[in-house]
Amino acid sequence: MLILMKQGATPEQIQAVCRRIREIGFTPHEIPGSIRTAVGITGNQGAVSPEHFQNLPGVAECVPVSRPYKLVSREVKPDPTVVDVRGAKVGDGSLSLMAGPCSVESRDQIFRTAEVVAASGAKFLRGGAFKPRTSPYAFQGLKEEGLQILEDVKRNFDLRIVTEAKDTETLEAVAAVADVLQIGARNMQNFSLLEAAGRLRKPVLLKRGISATLQELFMAAEYLLSLGNYQVMLCERGIRTFETMTRNTFDLSAVVMIKHHSHLPVIADPSHGVGIDWAVPPLARASVLAGADGIMVETHPDPSKALSDGQQSLNFDAYRTLAGELAELAAWQAARR
Ligand code: PEP
Ligand code: MN
């Protein structure tokens, strides 16, 4: 159920609706819009009767929500969500570039990368300190030491840090450094982690699971929003198909579908999507034209020596070229809007 307030409804009238929702045992979610405010309801198992609200002052209409992902859907919030990451806005029509290595490997590696990423005009540096790896024998990340390096980068560059929270045990330590908490593909349905991240007031980049449908991605995001964290970005990073020539199958249609069905910003990650360095730039460019709010790419000072995902990481020359092309495409895209 979504309660649409009249245009010009007062804050007191909106609060009275929220109070009534709490009185009947559910959770209100205020959803401000460009024309009017709406109030969503979660916590109910079945339908909620409109009789509770329709006579309250300021209420225009009570409409049932048809989607199971209530708070994530455009149905409840037609206006796009803009996520504010320390002043950098994602989803406001500009293109956000998030770049960096797969893993934080050393201070030197991260500082050299940060210099290139900041000079390219990007506002976000990515890099994992805690790495979820398929093999227990593979590099697992520098962990706390990696977080410390990222903390130092923040002090030296105008860059916001995107880094992964691998589990609930380390979430607090990661959140202390991260400007954007990445929840990785393998954790998309780690419901304890989603609940814990939902309780934090920190932007989250939620990556699509390796075999997850878009509805499952939306439902995973719903965990975050239903707990009050509305600062969520959704990330297409490729899915498992029968194809073996690429690491995953980068689902460009997901970018279009997410934008259509949800108000949350969408970030495209063609690096994990295709898994091959030379194939990343064309897919990154295509993602901008498909309407992505941001592009995440892996870049490394020497991809051949990377401790993870070297095969899909751009060297700095290729990264700089791509960043320039994306800026041009983003300007063209913005002028069309
Ligand atoms: C990553 O971003 O380096 C990563 C591990 O991504 P994913 O969870 O999409 O595999
Ligand atoms: Mn990676």
Side-chain angles (χ1 to χ4, degrees):
M1 164 83 65
L2 188 68
I3 298 163
L4 302 179
M5 302 301 295
K6 289 182 182 148
Q7 227 174 312
T10 65
E12 292 72 28
Q13 291 171 337
I14 297 166
Q15 284 322 306
V17 168
C18 293
R19 248 193 331 274
R20 177 67 56 88
I21 294 170
R22 283 192 206 94
E23 277 163 17
I24 58 175
F26 305 135
T27 309
H29 297 266
E30 227 181 284
I31 305 163
S34 52
I35 301 172
R36 42 111 188 106
T37 292
V39 184
I41 302 177
T42 61
N44 53 306
Q45 295 301 330
V48 181
S49 167
E51 277 163 24
H52 294 294
F53 314 102
Q54 59 200 12
N55 295 325
L56 291 180
V59 171
E61 213 185 329
C62 301
V63 290
V65 177
S66 61
R67 310 271 181 207
Y69 43 90
K70 306 186 200 187
L71 300 173
V72 163
S73 93
R74 277 238 188 232
E75 205 180 349
V76 303
K77 185 173 183 288
D79 298 324
T81 285
V82 178
V83 176
D84 188 320
V85 187
R86 281 204 291 124
K89 301 217 164 42
V90 185
D92 67 346
S94 65
L95 183 75
S96 300
L97 188 52
M98 306 176 173
C102 181
S103 303
V104 177
E105 299 171 3
S106 70
R107 181 170 298 269
D108 177 66
Q109 172 233 22
I110 285 296
F111 273 72
R112 282 171 66 195
T113 309
E115 211 167 296
V116 171
V117 169
S120 76
K123 297 193 175 122
F124 297 84
L125 180 82
R126 62 143 290 144
F130 291 88
K131 294 300 300 179
R133 301 304 302 279
T134 302
S135 164
Y137 308 117
F139 176 60
Q140 303 286 315
L142 291 183
K143 303 181 178 167
E144 283 81 6
E145 187 192 341
L147 290 179
Q148 187 55 57
I149 295 172
L150 291 173
E151 178 72 55
D152 294 348
V153 162
K154 250 164 82 167
R155 269 191 241 118
N156 287 277
F157 295 89
D158 180 25
L159 288 170
R160 289 127 198 96
I161 302 296
V162 184
T163 194
E164 178 160 358
K166 185 166 76 70
D167 46 43
T168 45
E169 289 78 5
T170 51
L171 175 64
E172 205 180 304
V174 173
V177 174
D179 295 298
V180 175
L181 277 172
Q182 178 172 319
I183 296 187
R186 291 154 194 80
N187 266 322
M188 188 201 85
Q189 287 186 316
N190 179 337
F191 299 114
S192 310
L193 184 59
L194 292 171
E195 283 168 3
R199 286 189 202 99
L200 294 178
R201 295 293 169 265
K202 174 136 282 196
V204 173
L205 178 78
L206 178 63
K207 298 189 92 175
R208 182 183 185 183
I210 289 166
S211 297
T213 64
L214 292 179
Q215 171 139 330
E216 286 163 343
L217 173 64
F218 292 155
M219 294 308 289
E222 193 76 17
Y223 271 82
L224 299 165
L225 273 70
S226 65
L227 286 158
N229 190 346
Y230 305 104
Q231 300 281 91
V232 176
M233 300 165 253
L234 302 176
C235 179
E236 163 57 33
R237 49 76 71 205
I239 48 173
R240 173 82 38 102
T241 68
F242 51 80
E243 184 53 67
T244 54
M245 206 170 272
T246 50
R247 179 181 179 182
N248 291 295
T249 295
F250 180 63
D251 183 7
L252 191 57
S253 63
V255 173
V256 178
M257 295 306 278
I258 293 169
K259 291 270 349 146
H260 180 80
H261 289 286
S262 175
H263 52 86
L264 298 174
V266 55
I267 310 297
D269 170 2
S271 301
H272 294 86
V274 67
I276 307 163
D277 57 356
W278 55 263
V280 170
L283 293 171
R285 295 192 297 262
S287 301
V288 175
L289 297 180
D293 298 289
I295 304 291
M296 176 181 260
V297 285
E298 288 185 337
T299 180
H300 190 283
D302 183 354
S304 69
K305 296 210 173 70
L307 298 181
S308 60
D309 287 353
Q311 75 291 346
Q312 67 194 32
S313 299
L314 302 180
N315 64 32
F316 288 162
D317 282 343
Y319 169 71
R320 281 191 207 96
T321 303
L322 176 62
E325 290 169 349
L326 295 183
E328 265 180 54
L329 285 175
W332 181 81
Q333 185 81 320
R336 282 178 67 232
R337 282 202 183 98

